[in-house]
Amino acid sequence: QEQLVESGGGLVQPGGSLRLSCATSGRAFYNMGWFRQAPGKERECVARISPGGSSTNYARSVKGRFTVSRDNAKNTVYLQMNSLTPEDTAVYYCAESSWFGTMRENEYEYWGQGTQVTVSS
């Protein structure tokens, strides 16, 4: 059973930064995605990265502020979040998919438990 464990969430002021980490079991050939779900909203994919790390995609709402990366030697995927706003407040999840390039929630097979990110002054 694949296990994903997120960390790095917390409370940050508007304009601040956070880096989320996702430790995986080491299946480096999988597409990885970062999703978020705010209260009362549907879960959305904010970023995804290819198995080798050369291909990434971002949601329009985070493009230019968030950066997804991975270190396959450490079995870890990262989400660097800059210029955070209160609208970024959500539970953030990492997920794993065998479908290359997808940002569709139903094409991700394994999920972490989520980490809370709160942006507030």
Side-chain angles (χ1 to χ4, degrees):
Q1 180 72 21
E2 177 73 344
Q3 290 189 331
L4 307 176
V5 180
E6 303 96 337
S7 60
L11 174 64
V12 63
Q13 292 187 342
S17 298
L18 279 177
R19 189 176 80 157
L20 305 183
S21 299
C22 174
T24 77
S25 298
R27 302 197 301 185
F29 48 87
Y30 275 67
N31 186 70
M32 297 297 296
W34 283 99
F35 290 74
R36 69 183 180 187
Q37 187 167 25
K41 294 188 177 181
E42 293 186 352
R43 189 155 55 182
E44 63 168 338
C45 185
V46 296
R48 50 97 9 206
I49 187 167
S50 61
S54 61
S55 173
T56 58
N57 292 99
Y58 298 91
R60 190 176 302 177
S61 57
V62 308
K63 199 167 187 178
R65 300 188 298 121
F66 289 12
T67 302
V68 60
S69 61
R70 67 193 299 163
D71 185 338
N72 288 339
K74 295 182 178 180
N75 299 332
T76 302
V77 181
Y78 304 98
L79 185 68
Q80 177 68 43
M81 306 185 294
N82 299 328
S83 302
L84 286 162
T85 74
E87 288 68 39
D88 296 314
T89 296
V91 178
Y92 283 72
Y93 301 87
C94 68
E96 191 174 280
S97 174
S98 56
W99 293 87
F100 179 81
T102 184
M103 294 183 77
R104 296 188 180 96
E105 180 180 354
N106 62 358
E107 291 179 346
Y108 281 78
E109 293 106 343
Y110 298 101
W111 293 81
Q113 82 288 351
T115 185
Q116 176 71 46
V117 171
T118 302
V119 185
S120 175
S121 55

CSV table of all heavy atoms in Angstrom, one decimal, residues 60-90:
chain,number,residue,atom,x,y,z
A,60,ARG,N,-4.3,28.2,-12.8
A,60,ARG,CA,-4.2,29.6,-13.1
A,60,ARG,C,-4.1,30.4,-11.9
A,60,ARG,O,-3.3,31.4,-11.8
A,60,ARG,CB,-5.4,30.0,-13.9
A,60,ARG,CG,-5.2,31.4,-14.5
A,60,ARG,CD,-6.4,31.7,-15.4
A,60,ARG,NE,-6.6,30.8,-16.5
A,60,ARG,CZ,-7.6,30.8,-17.4
A,60,ARG,NH1,-8.5,31.7,-17.3
A,60,ARG,NH2,-7.6,29.8,-18.3
A,61,SER,N,-4.7,30.0,-10.8
A,61,SER,CA,-4.8,30.8,-9.6
A,61,SER,C,-3.5,30.8,-8.8
A,61,SER,O,-3.3,31.7,-8.0
A,61,SER,CB,-5.9,30.2,-8.6
A,61,SER,OG,-5.6,28.9,-8.4
A,62,VAL,N,-2.6,29.9,-9.1
A,62,VAL,CA,-1.3,29.8,-8.4
A,62,VAL,C,-0.1,30.0,-9.3
A,62,VAL,O,1.0,30.1,-8.8
A,62,VAL,CB,-1.2,28.5,-7.6
A,62,VAL,CG1,-2.4,28.3,-6.7
A,62,VAL,CG2,-0.9,27.3,-8.5
A,63,LYS,N,-0.3,30.1,-10.6
A,63,LYS,CA,0.8,30.1,-11.5
A,63,LYS,C,1.6,31.4,-11.3
A,63,LYS,O,1.1,32.5,-11.1
A,63,LYS,CB,0.3,30.1,-13.0
A,63,LYS,CG,1.4,29.8,-14.0
A,63,LYS,CD,0.8,29.5,-15.3
A,63,LYS,CE,1.8,28.9,-16.3
A,63,LYS,NZ,1.2,28.6,-17.6
A,64,GLY,N,3.0,31.2,-11.2
A,64,GLY,CA,3.8,32.3,-10.9
A,64,GLY,C,4.1,32.5,-9.4
A,64,GLY,O,5.0,33.3,-9.1
A,65,ARG,N,3.3,31.9,-8.6
A,65,ARG,CA,3.5,32.0,-7.1
A,65,ARG,C,3.9,30.7,-6.5
A,65,ARG,O,4.7,30.7,-5.5
A,65,ARG,CB,2.2,32.5,-6.4
A,65,ARG,CG,1.7,33.8,-6.9
A,65,ARG,CD,0.6,34.3,-6.1
A,65,ARG,NE,-0.6,33.4,-6.2
A,65,ARG,CZ,-1.2,32.8,-5.1
A,65,ARG,NH1,-0.7,33.0,-3.9
A,65,ARG,NH2,-2.2,32.0,-5.3
A,66,PHE,N,3.5,29.6,-7.0
A,66,PHE,CA,3.8,28.2,-6.5
A,66,PHE,C,4.7,27.5,-7.4
A,66,PHE,O,4.6,27.7,-8.7
A,66,PHE,CB,2.5,27.4,-6.4
A,66,PHE,CG,1.5,27.8,-5.3
A,66,PHE,CD1,1.6,29.0,-4.7
A,66,PHE,CD2,0.5,27.0,-4.9
A,66,PHE,CE1,0.8,29.4,-3.7
A,66,PHE,CE2,-0.4,27.3,-4.0
A,66,PHE,CZ,-0.3,28.6,-3.3
A,67,THR,N,5.6,26.7,-6.9
A,67,THR,CA,6.5,25.9,-7.6
A,67,THR,C,6.5,24.5,-7.1
A,67,THR,O,6.8,24.3,-5.9
A,67,THR,CB,7.9,26.5,-7.6
A,67,THR,OG1,7.9,27.8,-8.1
A,67,THR,CG2,8.9,25.6,-8.5
A,68,VAL,N,6.3,23.5,-8.0
A,68,VAL,CA,6.3,22.1,-7.6
A,68,VAL,C,7.7,21.5,-8.0
A,68,VAL,O,8.2,21.8,-9.1
A,68,VAL,CB,5.1,21.3,-8.2
A,68,VAL,CG1,5.1,21.4,-9.7
A,68,VAL,CG2,5.1,19.9,-7.6
A,69,SER,N,8.2,20.7,-7.2
A,69,SER,CA,9.5,20.0,-7.5
A,69,SER,C,9.6,18.7,-6.8
A,69,SER,O,8.7,18.4,-6.0
A,69,SER,CB,10.7,20.9,-7.1
A,69,SER,OG,10.7,21.1,-5.7
A,70,ARG,N,10.5,17.9,-7.2
A,70,ARG,CA,10.7,16.6,-6.5
A,70,ARG,C,12.1,16.2,-6.5
A,70,ARG,O,12.9,16.6,-7.3
A,70,ARG,CB,9.9,15.5,-7.3
A,70,ARG,CG,10.3,15.2,-8.7
A,70,ARG,CD,9.3,14.4,-9.4
A,70,ARG,NE,9.0,13.1,-8.8
A,70,ARG,CZ,7.9,12.3,-9.0
A,70,ARG,NH1,7.0,12.8,-9.9
A,70,ARG,NH2,7.7,11.2,-8.4
A,71,ASP,N,12.5,15.5,-5.4
A,71,ASP,CA,13.8,14.9,-5.3
A,71,ASP,C,13.6,13.4,-5.1
A,71,ASP,O,13.2,12.9,-4.1
A,71,ASP,CB,14.4,15.5,-4.0
A,71,ASP,CG,15.9,15.0,-3.8
A,71,ASP,OD1,16.2,13.9,-4.4
A,71,ASP,OD2,16.6,15.6,-3.1
A,72,ASN,N,13.8,12.7,-6.3
A,72,ASN,CA,13.5,11.2,-6.3
A,72,ASN,C,14.5,10.5,-5.4
A,72,ASN,O,14.1,9.4,-4.9
A,72,ASN,CB,13.5,10.7,-7.7
A,72,ASN,CG,12.2,11.2,-8.5
A,72,ASN,OD1,11.2,11.5,-7.9
A,72,ASN,ND2,12.3,11.2,-9.8
A,73,ALA,N,15.6,11.0,-5.2
A,73,ALA,CA,16.6,10.3,-4.3
A,73,ALA,C,16.1,10.3,-2.9
A,73,ALA,O,16.5,9.5,-2.1
A,73,ALA,CB,18.0,11.0,-4.4
A,74,LYS,N,15.3,11.3,-2.5
A,74,LYS,CA,14.8,11.4,-1.2
A,74,LYS,C,13.3,11.0,-1.1
A,74,LYS,O,12.7,11.1,-0.1
A,74,LYS,CB,14.9,12.9,-0.7
A,74,LYS,CG,16.3,13.3,-0.5
A,74,LYS,CD,16.4,14.8,0.1
A,74,LYS,CE,17.8,15.2,0.3
A,74,LYS,NZ,17.9,16.6,0.9
A,75,ASN,N,12.8,10.6,-2.2
A,75,ASN,CA,11.4,10.2,-2.3
A,75,ASN,C,10.4,11.3,-1.8
A,75,ASN,O,9.5,11.0,-1.0
A,75,ASN,CB,11.1,8.9,-1.5
A,75,ASN,CG,11.9,7.7,-2.0
A,75,ASN,OD1,12.3,7.7,-3.2
A,75,ASN,ND2,12.3,6.8,-1.1
A,76,THR,N,10.7,12.5,-2.2
A,76,THR,CA,9.9,13.6,-1.6
A,76,THR,C,9.5,14.6,-2.7
A,76,THR,O,10.3,14.8,-3.7
A,76,THR,CB,10.8,14.4,-0.6
A,76,THR,OG1,11.1,13.5,0.5
A,76,THR,CG2,10.0,15.5,0.0
A,77,VAL,N,8.3,15.1,-2.6
A,77,VAL,CA,7.8,16.1,-3.6
A,77,VAL,C,7.5,17.3,-2.7
A,77,VAL,O,7.1,17.3,-1.6
A,77,VAL,CB,6.5,15.6,-4.2
A,77,VAL,CG1,6.0,16.7,-5.2
A,77,VAL,CG2,6.8,14.3,-5.0
A,78,TYR,N,7.8,18.5,-3.3
A,78,TYR,CA,7.7,19.8,-2.6
A,78,TYR,C,6.7,20.7,-3.3
A,78,TYR,O,6.5,20.6,-4.6
A,78,TYR,CB,9.0,20.5,-2.6
A,78,TYR,CG,10.1,19.6,-1.9
A,78,TYR,CD1,11.0,18.9,-2.7
A,78,TYR,CD2,10.3,19.6,-0.5
A,78,TYR,CE1,12.0,18.2,-2.1
A,78,TYR,CE2,11.3,18.8,0.0
A,78,TYR,CZ,12.1,18.1,-0.8
A,78,TYR,OH,13.1,17.3,-0.2
A,79,LEU,N,6.1,21.6,-2.6
A,79,LEU,CA,5.3,22.7,-3.1
A,79,LEU,C,5.8,24.0,-2.4
A,79,LEU,O,5.5,24.1,-1.2
A,79,LEU,CB,3.8,22.4,-2.9
A,79,LEU,CG,2.9,23.5,-3.6
A,79,LEU,CD1,3.0,23.4,-5.1
A,79,LEU,CD2,1.5,23.3,-3.2
A,80,GLN,N,6.5,24.8,-3.1
A,80,GLN,CA,6.9,26.1,-2.6
A,80,GLN,C,5.8,27.1,-2.9
A,80,GLN,O,5.5,27.2,-4.1
A,80,GLN,CB,8.3,26.5,-3.3
A,80,GLN,CG,8.7,27.9,-2.8
A,80,GLN,CD,9.1,27.9,-1.4
A,80,GLN,OE1,9.8,27.0,-0.9
A,80,GLN,NE2,8.7,29.0,-0.7
A,81,MET,N,5.3,27.7,-1.9
A,81,MET,CA,4.2,28.7,-2.1
A,81,MET,C,4.7,30.0,-1.6
A,81,MET,O,5.0,30.2,-0.4
A,81,MET,CB,3.0,28.2,-1.2
A,81,MET,CG,2.6,26.8,-1.5
A,81,MET,SD,1.1,26.3,-0.7
A,81,MET,CE,1.6,26.3,1.0
A,82,ASN,N,4.6,31.0,-2.5
A,82,ASN,CA,5.1,32.4,-2.3
A,82,ASN,C,3.9,33.3,-2.4
A,82,ASN,O,2.9,33.0,-3.1
A,82,ASN,CB,6.2,32.8,-3.2
A,82,ASN,CG,7.4,31.9,-3.0
A,82,ASN,OD1,7.7,31.4,-1.9
A,82,ASN,ND2,8.2,31.7,-4.1
A,83,SER,N,4.0,34.5,-1.9
A,83,SER,CA,3.0,35.6,-2.1
A,83,SER,C,1.6,35.0,-1.7
A,83,SER,O,0.7,35.2,-2.4
A,83,SER,CB,3.0,36.1,-3.5
A,83,SER,OG,4.3,36.6,-3.9
A,84,LEU,N,1.6,34.4,-0.6
A,84,LEU,CA,0.3,33.8,-0.2
A,84,LEU,C,-0.8,34.8,0.2
A,84,LEU,O,-0.4,35.9,0.7
A,84,LEU,CB,0.5,32.8,1.0
A,84,LEU,CG,1.3,31.5,0.6
A,84,LEU,CD1,1.9,30.9,1.9
A,84,LEU,CD2,0.3,30.6,-0.1
A,85,THR,N,-2.0,34.5,-0.1
A,85,THR,CA,-3.1,35.3,0.2
A,85,THR,C,-4.2,34.5,1.0
A,85,THR,O,-4.1,33.3,1.0
A,85,THR,CB,-3.8,35.8,-1.1
A,85,THR,OG1,-4.5,34.7,-1.7
A,85,THR,CG2,-2.8,36.3,-2.1
A,86,PRO,N,-5.1,35.2,1.6
A,86,PRO,CA,-6.1,34.4,2.4
A,86,PRO,C,-6.9,33.4,1.5
A,86,PRO,O,-7.4,32.4,2.0
A,86,PRO,CB,-7.0,35.5,2.9
A,86,PRO,CG,-6.1,36.7,3.0
A,86,PRO,CD,-5.2,36.6,1.9
A,87,GLU,N,-7.0,33.7,0.2
A,87,GLU,CA,-7.6,32.7,-0.7
A,87,GLU,C,-6.9,31.4,-0.9
A,87,GLU,O,-7.4,30.5,-1.4
A,87,GLU,CB,-7.9,33.4,-2.1
A,87,GLU,CG,-8.9,34.5,-2.1
A,87,GLU,CD,-8.5,35.7,-1.3
A,87,GLU,OE1,-7.3,36.1,-1.4
A,87,GLU,OE2,-9.4,36.3,-0.7
A,88,ASP,N,-5.7,31.4,-0.4
A,88,ASP,CA,-4.9,30.1,-0.5
A,88,ASP,C,-5.1,29.2,0.7
A,88,ASP,O,-4.6,28.1,0.8
A,88,ASP,CB,-3.4,30.4,-0.6
A,88,ASP,CG,-3.0,31.1,-1.9
A,88,ASP,OD1,-3.5,30.7,-3.0
A,88,ASP,OD2,-2.3,32.1,-1.8
A,89,THR,N,-5.9,29.7,1.7
A,89,THR,CA,-6.2,28.9,2.9
A,89,THR,C,-7.0,27.7,2.5
A,89,THR,O,-8.0,27.8,1.8
A,89,THR,CB,-7.0,29.8,3.9
A,89,THR,OG1,-6.2,30.9,4.3
A,89,THR,CG2,-7.5,28.9,5.1
A,90,ALA,N,-6.5,26.5,2.9
A,90,ALA,CA,-7.1,25.3,2.5
A,90,ALA,C,-6.3,24.1,3.2
A,90,ALA,O,-5.2,24.3,3.7
A,90,ALA,CB,-7.1,25.1,1.0
